[in-house]
Amino acid sequence: MNDTLLIALYALSGAVAAGLLGAGTLWLLRRRSLTVSLTVVAAVAVTAMLAGTLAVAWAMFLSAQDLTVVTTVVAMAAVVSLATALLLGRWVVARSRELALAARSFGDGGDFNAPRGPATAELADVSRELEATSAKLAESRERERALETSRRELVAWISHDLRTPLAGLRAMSEALEDGVAADPDRYLKQMRTEVERLNDMVGDLFELSRIHAGTLALSPSRMSVYDLVGDALAGAYPLAHEHGVRLLGDRVEPVPVEVDGKEMSRVLGNLLVNAIRRTPADGTVMVAAERLPDGVVLSVTDGCGGIPEEDLPRVFDTGWRGTHARTPPAGAGLGLAIVRGIVEAHQGRATVRNIPGGCRFEVVLPAAAS
């Protein structure tokens, strides 16, 4: 038993010495290739075995021939171990370089294509994570492009819509100043109308900026959808009468909701104004409100003839006005964007879909607790 313990101690001392030497070597070569590190690890294993064997042989006074045999066996093992470590290291390094090149491609704005061929479990995990990251970056770039397109359209259309009334105001004010206005009262009335339009546009921009900044302060209170719809219909009636459009309330249930009355009135007002302006004379705009399993649904149905399918995803984007709505009084394309922002601030959602002869805008709000 004592001899066995003594052999173990001699073998351990030799192996520890080799291990410490290998650890120092790995520390010095820590920034080198993985191939070098694997080779050092294999060399440390063989050296530790050789050192332990030599220490035991010295302690047991083995013959020179026995020591030569043991050393030869260990040397052959060292050759095989080092060759295996080199091959493994070169294979892992090659897979790593392929993965790095693939990652560089999607970092430059492209899509990530995982390298083909076998790889270690760790490299495969990294590859899957890079694929997921690439998909997220692609979605982010697409959203960024859409937002940039909306921003440019908004700036262009706002500039156009501001320039038109400002030019009219300038011409009318100069005519009044020079005393050449044939009907000053008519000019003043028209100037008041243009100022109101500009004020509404600035108000929409301010509301939209609050929505985008997340500073839209809501003061929710319990109220009936019936009252909201009734007030909205009364406010939109003059515009509907002017355009020859019929306004109807259909299936308006007195369902309670917890909303900011002022902001939700703006939502319904924007939807009604949009529907009235898109519906031809003698057409009908219908408002409905009912409780469904997923909440309270407010809907506005018009007779616009429908929206092209490719434009449906953009209806609520900032600045979108459709292909045939480039001039006033179509507005600056802010109304529906404000609708979506206010509805989402109420934890609801706004959608649109085509129906025969027109389209249907729906606002889904959480029902108030009973």
Side-chain angles (χ1 to χ4, degrees):
M1 183 64 182
N2 291 334
D3 291 341
T4 303
L5 181 60
L6 186 62
I7 292 173
L9 289 175
Y10 276 112
L12 178 63
S13 61
V16 167
L20 292 176
L21 179 61
T25 304
L26 284 175
W27 173 257
L28 294 175
L29 302 176
R30 63 187 181 279
R31 300 185 185 278
R32 301 296 295 273
S33 171
L34 180 63
T35 304
V36 176
S37 298
L38 287 176
T39 304
V40 171
V41 170
V44 167
V46 175
T47 304
M49 183 173 62
L50 180 60
T53 302
L54 292 177
V56 171
W58 175 78
M60 296 180 64
F61 302 103
L62 294 180
S63 64
Q65 183 178 0
D66 293 339
L67 185 60
T68 301
V69 171
V70 171
T71 305
T72 303
V73 172
V74 173
M76 294 301 100
V79 171
V80 174
S81 299
L82 291 176
T84 303
L86 285 172
L87 291 176
L88 177 61
R90 291 176 63 86
W91 180 76
V92 173
V93 169
R95 300 287 83 77
S96 300
R97 287 175 178 172
E98 291 176 359
L99 187 60
L101 290 175
R104 188 180 305 164
S105 67
F106 91 84
D108 293 335
D111 295 329
F112 176 78
N113 295 315
R116 298 185 180 276
T120 63
E122 292 77 10
L123 292 179
D125 289 339
V126 172
S127 180
R128 284 191 292 269
E129 290 297 328
L130 288 175
E131 285 181 337
T133 303
S134 176
K136 293 178 181 178
L137 286 176
E139 294 176 0
S140 178
R141 285 193 294 266
E142 187 62 29
R143 287 196 300 269
E144 184 179 354
R145 282 193 290 266
L147 289 173
E148 180 63 19
T149 300
S150 297
R151 186 191 67 81
R152 291 181 179 180
E153 291 177 350
L154 175 62
V155 171
W157 293 343
I158 285 291
S159 300
H160 175 270
D161 291 348
L162 287 175
R163 186 166 53 247
T164 300
L166 287 175
L169 287 171
R170 180 178 181 180
M172 287 184 285
S173 63
E174 290 177 350
L176 290 172
E177 183 179 5
D178 295 339
V180 297
D183 188 354
D185 291 338
R186 184 175 65 84
Y187 273 52
L188 290 173
K189 184 178 179 180
Q190 183 63 29
M191 291 175 68
R192 175 63 181 270
T193 301
E194 296 296 337
V195 169
E196 290 295 334
R197 282 182 51 204
L198 290 174
N199 183 68
D200 292 342
M201 193 179 304
V202 172
D204 286 346
L205 286 171
F206 179 69
E207 182 81 355
L208 194 63
S209 68
R210 289 198 302 164
I211 291 172
H212 287 172
T215 59
L216 181 64
L218 299 178
S219 301
S221 60
R222 188 183 182 90
M223 60 184 61
S224 172
V225 172
Y226 187 89
D227 295 333
L228 279 174
V229 173
D231 293 342
L233 289 174
Y237 179 77
L239 181 65
H241 180 72
E242 178 185 347
H243 285 73
V245 174
R246 292 183 297 274
L247 280 181
L248 297 178
D250 181 46
R251 302 189 315 276
V252 181
E253 301 177 6
V255 182
V257 288
E258 290 277 349
V259 296
D260 186 309
K262 179 182 176 182
E263 297 297 342
M264 197 51 57
S265 295
R266 181 162 195 166
V267 167
L268 290 174
N270 285 359
L271 290 177
L272 285 172
V273 168
N274 181 74
I276 291 169
R277 287 176 172 171
R278 297 299 189 275
T279 300
D282 295 329
T284 300
V285 172
M286 187 174 299
V287 183
E290 55 187 333
R291 182 195 290 269
L292 294 180
D294 58 346
V296 178
V297 180
L298 301 172
S299 63
V300 176
T301 304
D302 60 35
C304 66
I307 300 173
E309 291 295 328
E310 63 272 14
D311 286 341
L312 282 176
R314 296 195 56 205
V315 167
F316 292 99
D317 288 353
T318 302
W320 185 87
R321 298 193 297 184
T323 57
H324 62 285
R326 290 291 191 267
T327 58
L334 305 180
L336 294 180
I338 292 173
V339 165
R340 181 175 63 179
I342 295 176
V343 171
E344 290 180 351
H346 283 85
Q347 307 304 315
R349 66 180 186 275
T351 60
V352 60
R353 57 187 173 88
N354 285 324
I355 61 172
C359 59
R360 178 184 176 97
F361 287 84
E362 291 185 348
V363 171
V364 182
L365 297 172
S370 301

